[in-house]
């Protein structure tokens, strides 16, 4: 074995030990060297995604015996921190599932990922529109391709809402009315993780103040007064028990009926809703919450996830074949279904449609998103930026739990955003 290969193998083995220590649900596979060309693949997700990815990559190897797949996967929590370390050490996988926000963070000049346009012989670009390709283009280089589009959606347990004589909310006032009805039973109209709390608060802010926190170049343009208004409204949501505090919320709570509604990515519909749907509960995707006088302003769309190839990839043509398989191969798409959302690829979409697999809450969420595309634009990556999210969590928690006053928390969060 060549010295360079030994070094890479050693690094991967060390990474395997490191990842396993961070989470029991992280796996890195490194198989013995063979005459096959190695291509490494990485992704994050839940157990169903891991299962069909592993099965699908195994099928790819059967059909392409000259290519060997090594893979690594993990749950989302802590994933970007590990990914950032790998990017900086140039040890990231050849084919990577990436977040849309990472394009601007890791490849602002377009040089952070391989230029996929050089692989037109192996990637079926005809399955994507120019607008689709534009989402992954940085500084003229095609860095990534989208798997599906995504937005924050609201899902409601209609059995619970109906028991209070309520329809699914469509305005902010509707949410407060629902809280008034449910409060005595300890039921919350909504629950969600911190990221979606921030996106919900941002939508409320944009709708009510016709302003934005970040400009198109990612610069913070908000004021301390803006942050105060956002945190004050957040406090009202928690105090009125419209929203379960995110520190108390768990993804399983919606499926268990602990909360009556949830905000999450459209592509996460199955994860959140399946336990209820499987038990015959009436679950619907609700309207985008608004002031009641305007449409869906404040709500954004984005690629759900994307696939990219490492700029350091030694076998880009083989990696391109793997990437094309994950996006466009009918057999793999049948395994994946709508787990990542309604697919962008024309072939993938036609495959699911012809097999009657476009149904359920995932499909309804995707259809709602498509029906509202005219009122939505691509999300500003800063709204998902890890530093922005961490700062919001830190100072909003300190305000909600009484460690800082509203003015103190607003000043500190504003300063934190200023120093990004």
């Amino acid at each position: 074995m060549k010295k360079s290969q030994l070094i890479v193998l050693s690094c991967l083995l060390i990474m395997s030990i490191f990842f396993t220590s961070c989470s029991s649900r992280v796996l890195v596979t490194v198989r013995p060297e063979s005459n096959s060309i190695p291509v490494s693949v990485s992704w994050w997700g839940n157990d169903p995604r891991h299962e069909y990815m592993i099965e699908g990559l195994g099928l790819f190897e059967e059909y392409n015996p000259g290519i060997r797949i090594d893979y690594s996967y993990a749950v989302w929590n802590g994933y970007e921190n590990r990914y950032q370390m790998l990017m900086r050490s140039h040890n990231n996988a050849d084919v990577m599932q990436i977040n849309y926000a990472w394009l601007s963070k890791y490849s602002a000049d377009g040089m952070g990922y391989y230029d996929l346009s050089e692989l037109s012989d192996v990637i079926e670009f005809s399955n994507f529109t120019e607008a689709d390709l534009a989402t992954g283009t940085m500084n003229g280089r095609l860095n990534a391709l989208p798997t599906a589009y995504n937005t924050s959606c609201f899902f409601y347990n209609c059995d619970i809402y109906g028991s209070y004589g309520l329809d699914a909310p469509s305005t902010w006032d509707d949410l407060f009315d629902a809280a008034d009805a449910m409060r005595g039973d300890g039921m919350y109209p909504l629950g969600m993780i911190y990221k979606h709390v921030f996106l919900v608060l941002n939508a409320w802010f944009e709708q009510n103040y016709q302003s934005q926190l970040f400009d198109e170049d990612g610069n913070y343009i908000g004021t301390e007064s803006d942050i105060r208004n956002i945190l004050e409204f957040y406090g009202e949501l928690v105090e009125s028990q419209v929203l379960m505090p995110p520190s108390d919320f768990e993804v399983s709570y919606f499926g268990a009926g602990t909360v009556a509604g949830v905000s999450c990515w459209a592509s996460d519909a199955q994860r959140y809703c399946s336990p209820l749907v499987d038990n015959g509960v009436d679950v619907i995707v609700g309207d985008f919450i608004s002031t009641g006088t305007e449409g869906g302003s404040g709500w954004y769309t984005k690629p759900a996830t994307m696939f990219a190839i490492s700029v350091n990839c030694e076998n880009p043509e083989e990696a391109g074949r793997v990437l094309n398989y994950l996006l466009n191969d009918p057999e793999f798409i049948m395994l994946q279904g709508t787990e990542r959302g309604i697919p962008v690829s024309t072939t993938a979409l036609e495959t699911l449609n012809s097999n009657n697999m476009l149904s359920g809450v995932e499909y309804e969420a995707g259809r709602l998103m498509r029906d509202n595309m005219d009122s939505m634009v691509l999300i500003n990556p800063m709204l998902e930026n890890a530093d922005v999210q961490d700062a919001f969590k830190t100072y909003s928690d300190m305000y909600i739990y009484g460690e800082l006053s509203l003015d103190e928390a607003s000043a500190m969060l504003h300063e934190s955003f200023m120093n990004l």
Side-chain angles (χ1 to χ4, degrees):
M1 187 179 294
K2 295 179 181 179
K3 182 178 180 181
S4 61
Q5 292 172 324
L6 283 170
I7 293 172
V8 170
L9 180 60
S10 298
C11 289
L12 288 169
L13 290 171
I14 292 169
M15 285 157 51
S16 177
I17 296 169
F18 172 75
F19 285 173
T20 304
S21 69
C22 291
S23 168
S24 61
R25 300 182 65 194
V26 177
L27 177 68
V28 177
T29 67
V30 181
R31 292 184 290 173
E33 185 181 6
S34 68
N35 293 327
S36 299
I37 297 173
V39 175
S40 55
V41 182
S42 65
W43 71 89
W44 72 84
N46 51 18
D47 288 339
R49 180 175 296 177
H50 304 329
E51 290 167 4
Y52 73 71
M53 284 289 290
I54 292 170
E55 181 178 356
L57 291 171
L59 290 173
F60 177 87
E61 284 188 319
E62 290 182 19
Y63 304 145
N64 298 270
I67 300 176
R68 185 189 85 236
I69 303 293
D70 298 322
Y71 54 80
S72 60
Y73 62 83
V75 297
W76 169 251
N77 290 342
Y79 190 91
E80 186 176 358
N81 289 335
R82 293 189 289 270
Y83 177 84
Q84 188 175 54
M85 178 189 71
L86 294 174
M87 284 288 288
R88 289 176 174 172
S89 62
H90 305 294
N91 283 316
N92 44 291
D94 296 320
V95 179
M96 300 171 280
Q97 174 184 318
I98 69 168
N99 195 328
Y100 171 66
W102 296 355
L103 291 174
S104 59
K105 184 171 183 178
Y106 300 111
S107 188
D109 60 358
M111 301 301 291
Y113 301 101
Y114 190 87
D115 186 357
L116 300 180
S117 64
E118 297 182 9
L119 300 174
S120 58
D121 289 342
V122 295
I123 299 177
E124 300 169 72
F125 292 117
S126 59
N127 280 308
F128 302 88
T129 67
E130 289 300 320
D132 298 331
L133 299 179
T135 64
T137 299
M138 300 296 291
N139 195 29
R141 290 168 56 90
L142 181 57
N143 280 185
L145 288 171
T147 58
Y149 286 109
N150 222 349
T151 191
S152 293
C153 281
F154 293 88
F155 298 95
Y156 298 104
N157 182 328
C158 290
D159 289 5
I160 293 179
Y161 269 87
S163 70
Y164 291 96
L166 298 170
D167 294 326
S170 60
T171 69
W172 304 104
D173 288 341
D174 289 344
L175 284 171
F176 282 93
D177 290 343
D180 289 341
M182 298 178 184
R183 190 177 302 117
D185 298 321
M187 177 61 65
Y188 290 89
L190 277 177
M192 63 194 78
I193 63 174
Y194 281 97
K195 174 176 282 191
H196 288 282
V197 171
F198 184 67
L199 294 177
V200 165
L201 292 174
N202 182 74
W204 172 86
F205 169 71
E206 290 192 16
Q207 290 173 16
N208 283 274
Y209 292 91
Q210 291 75 55
S211 186
Q212 296 179 325
L213 294 179
F214 300 94
D215 67 18
E216 61 182 12
D217 294 321
N219 301 307
Y220 174 62
I221 55 174
T223 66
E224 187 173 328
S225 177
D226 292 335
I227 299 301
R228 190 184 194 283
N229 290 330
I230 289 171
L231 290 182
E232 185 173 32
F233 181 65
Y234 182 23
E236 292 172 6
L237 290 175
V238 173
E239 184 175 358
S240 298
Q241 295 182 32
V242 170
L243 176 68
M244 174 180 279
S247 58
D248 297 334
F249 176 76
E250 295 183 12
V251 170
S252 61
Y253 282 4
F254 184 56
T258 307
V259 295
V262 69
S263 178
C264 65
W265 295 123
S267 61
D268 281 337
Q270 189 176 57
R271 179 186 180 198
Y272 279 84
C273 301
S274 287
L276 293 175
V277 174
D278 291 346
N279 287 317
V281 175
D282 184 15
V283 178
I284 67 165
V285 55
D287 295 332
F288 293 104
I289 301 297
S290 72
T291 60
T293 58
E294 297 181 9
S297 62
W299 301 107
Y300 293 90
T301 185
K302 68 161 193 169
T305 57
M306 310 185 83
F307 277 110
I309 291 177
S310 170
V311 72
N312 302 307
C313 179
E314 294 183 359
N315 303 296
E317 181 175 336
E318 287 74 17
R321 294 185 186 280
V322 176
L323 184 148
N324 185 69
Y325 173 80
L326 295 173
L327 291 172
N328 298 316
D329 183 84
E331 188 169 7
F332 178 77
I333 296 304
M334 289 290 291
L335 293 175
Q336 177 178 272
T338 56
E339 191 276 328
R340 291 183 189 271
I342 308 303
V344 172
S345 163
T346 302
T347 295
L349 194 61
E350 291 174 350
T351 297
L352 296 183
N353 188 48
S354 63
N355 286 277
N356 299 313
M357 294 178 66
L358 293 178
S359 62
V361 287
E362 305 97 331
Y363 176 67
E364 293 302 323
R367 187 169 67 175
L368 177 71
M369 179 170 51
R370 290 195 299 273
D371 290 345
N372 286 272
M373 278 292 193
D374 290 343
S375 63
M376 295 190 290
V377 296
L378 280 174
I379 192 170
N380 188 315
M382 290 303 293
L383 294 177
E384 287 194 278
N385 180 277
D387 293 331
V388 169
Q389 290 282 334
D390 288 345
F392 167 73
K393 179 182 183 300
T394 297
Y395 295 112
S396 66
D397 269 359
M398 295 178 78
Y399 164 59
I400 292 297
Y401 291 104
E403 298 176 37
L404 293 175
S405 69
L406 176 59
D407 288 339
E408 290 170 335
S410 301
M412 291 182 179
L413 184 52
H414 170 69
E415 183 178 1
S416 180
F417 285 173
M418 288 283 290
N419 292 329
L420 289 173

